[in-house]
Amino acid sequence: MKLKLKNVFLAYFLVSIAGLLYALVQLGQPCDCLLPLRAAAEQLRQKDLKISQLQENLRRPPPAPAQPPEPEALPTIYVITPTYARLVQKAELVRLSQTLSLVPRLHWLLVEDAEGPTPLVSKLLAASHLLFTHLAVLTPKAQRLREGEPGWVRPRGVEQRNKALDWLRGRGGAVGGEKDPPPPGTQGVVYFADDDNTYSQELFEEMRWTHGVSVWPVGLVGGLRFEGPQVQDGRVVGFHTAWEPNRPFPMDMAGFAVALPLLLAKPNAQFDATAPRGHLESSLLSHLVDPKDLEPRAANCTRVLVWHTRTEKPKMKQEEQLQRQGRGSNPDIEV
Ligand SMILES: *[C@@H]1O[C@H](CO)[C@@H](O)[C@H](O)[C@H]1NC(C)=O
């Protein structure tokens, strides 16, 4: 029994030594596990190369952008907008100001029908990021629309538009924004944009290069799909209108623009508050241009880029009801 245990131990010892020797011999042999290692190293090298290429690209200056337009070379568009306090005033002015902010080199002349600047309009202008001049003039009582009178009886916004023309001619009056009128020799064009119309961004580029008076059609006006000049061989030969076609300029306020130098050269050109119905536009334009010299724009007056939209007057029946119960909408929240 004793002897047997000794033999087993010996056998175990021999086998272990043999195993150890085999392992030692194997260590010195070249191993085929090096192949995948080499492949991995090669992959890493490739990736390093790629990364340094990308880093190189990043260091290189970006390609020069296409020649940027020079805004200083563009004539300025002076947009004259009369406005008056009413329920939809802020909505209209937000909409218009956001259209105007799409147009480069534009200066907004916003003229309130009020004794002075109102907080609503002042705040809106300050927040608009537009270049603007804030003006205010109250329409004289005799000219104001009476309660229940339809809107077309008296021309609206006459005093306000004339106030803006006065400012352009250096007679001051600004109550906010840019106070100095355009310096002599300024290239520009003047457009009368009421706050309820709808304007395509394209319209402003059509009018920008106006030498005298440029014209185009206006949509949804005068009881027609559109009104506008009729053009033959690039010249205005008549007007498409259903109403008093014999007016000197049977056109809507939104359908023309005047070169600033021309307006400044004719200091008497302004709107006449006593002009008969529908003759307000003519009262200005007859000082400035012969109808045959009108400059057709918008593809020879075949494209409509401005619409005489009218905002419906909101009904306040429920508001009045709640106010009687002392539960009206919070008056501190501006609408
Ligand atoms: C307008 O009409 C004139 C004369 O027919 C033509 O030479 C010109 O190219 C037209 N302009 C546009 C923008 O269609």
Side-chain angles (χ1 to χ4, degrees):
M1 189 70 182
K2 232 183 186 176
L3 192 83
K4 250 186 188 165
L5 197 67
K6 200 172 168 185
N7 282 348
V8 167
F9 193 77
L10 194 71
Y12 176 75
F13 180 74
L14 286 176
V15 165
S16 299
I17 288 289
L20 186 63
L21 281 176
Y22 178 76
L24 283 173
V25 166
Q26 283 297 306
L27 269 183
Q29 298 295 317
C31 161
D32 52 1
C33 57
L34 272 182
L35 270 170
L37 265 181
R38 275 207 197 103
E42 178 61 17
Q43 254 179 13
L44 267 180
R45 209 181 60 81
Q46 297 275 340
K47 291 224 162 90
D48 272 353
L49 205 66
K50 185 85 194 159
I51 285 170
S52 57
Q53 271 170 5
L54 287 174
Q55 279 173 337
E56 183 63 26
N57 286 353
L58 277 181
R59 268 193 292 273
R60 228 173 276 147
Q67 206 57 32
E70 281 178 45
E72 291 73 30
L74 292 178
T76 300
I77 300 175
Y78 294 90
V79 173
I80 296 176
T81 303
T83 187
Y84 66 100
R86 61 208 193 274
L87 272 171
V88 298
Q89 184 184 30
K90 187 177 183 182
E92 304 278 42
L93 291 178
V94 164
R95 190 167 53 134
L96 178 55
S97 70
Q98 290 182 358
T99 299
L100 299 183
S101 65
L102 298 171
V103 183
R105 283 290 263 191
L106 183 141
H107 187 142
W108 196 17
L109 311 182
L110 188 56
V111 196
E112 290 195 71
D113 187 348
E115 263 169 22
T118 64
L120 185 148
V121 173
S122 302
K123 270 192 289 172
L124 189 137
L125 281 171
S128 72
H129 299 298
L130 288 163
L131 173 58
F132 69 88
T133 296
H134 190 175
L135 300 145
V137 58
L138 192 65
T139 303
K141 210 165 183 177
Q143 280 173 38
R144 236 176 294 159
L145 214 58
R146 306 211 174 94
E147 190 69 33
E149 252 179 358
W152 46 260
V153 171
R154 268 154 229 283
R156 214 191 245 296
V158 176
E159 298 297 318
Q160 289 71 35
R161 294 187 193 97
N162 284 339
K163 181 85 176 175
L165 293 178
D166 281 350
W167 179 83
L168 285 170
R169 288 168 172 146
R171 277 176 229 144
V175 293
E178 176 60 52
K179 299 267 168 73
D180 294 331
T186 299
Q187 286 307 301
V189 60
V190 177
Y191 181 52
F192 301 95
D194 288 352
D195 62 6
D196 50 354
N197 292 337
T198 304
Y199 305 90
S200 164
Q201 194 182 345
E202 284 179 86
L203 178 69
F204 298 94
E205 299 318 317
E206 292 288 335
M207 73 177 73
R208 193 182 293 279
W209 302 93
T210 296
H211 307 290
V213 177
S214 56
V215 289
W216 48 82
V218 177
L220 314 177
V221 71
L224 295 175
R225 290 178 61 240
F226 68 89
E227 272 186 356
Q230 290 162 328
V231 177
Q232 250 170 39
D233 301 325
R235 299 196 140 245
V236 174
V237 295
F239 297 91
H240 173 62
T241 177
W243 190 75
E244 265 200 54
N246 292 325
R247 290 173 287 166
F249 297 90
M251 296 194 305
D252 188 79
M253 194 66 73
F256 66 90
V258 184
L260 178 66
L262 176 61
L263 261 178
L264 298 182
K266 308 274 184 177
N268 295 325
Q270 59 163 12
F271 293 100
D272 178 3
T274 65
R277 181 184 162 199
H279 287 251
L280 191 60
E281 292 82 356
S282 299
S283 75
L284 174 82
L285 289 173
S286 46
H287 289 280
L288 297 173
V289 69
D290 202 284
K292 69 169 172 31
D293 294 326
L294 293 171
E295 300 158 29
R297 293 289 188 273
N300 285 322
C301 298
T302 61
R303 295 186 67 209
V304 173
L305 298 172
V306 54
W307 296 263
H308 193 255
T309 43
R310 305 295 303 268
T311 303
E312 191 183 347
K313 191 175 178 216
K315 297 187 178 68
M316 288 289 122
K317 208 167 148 218
Q318 275 65 31
E319 185 69 52
E320 286 154 17
Q321 229 167 45
L322 288 192
Q323 275 173 7
R324 277 194 293 275
Q325 301 163 15
R327 299 193 293 129
S329 307
N330 183 350
D332 297 334
I333 294 180
E334 191 180 85
V335 175

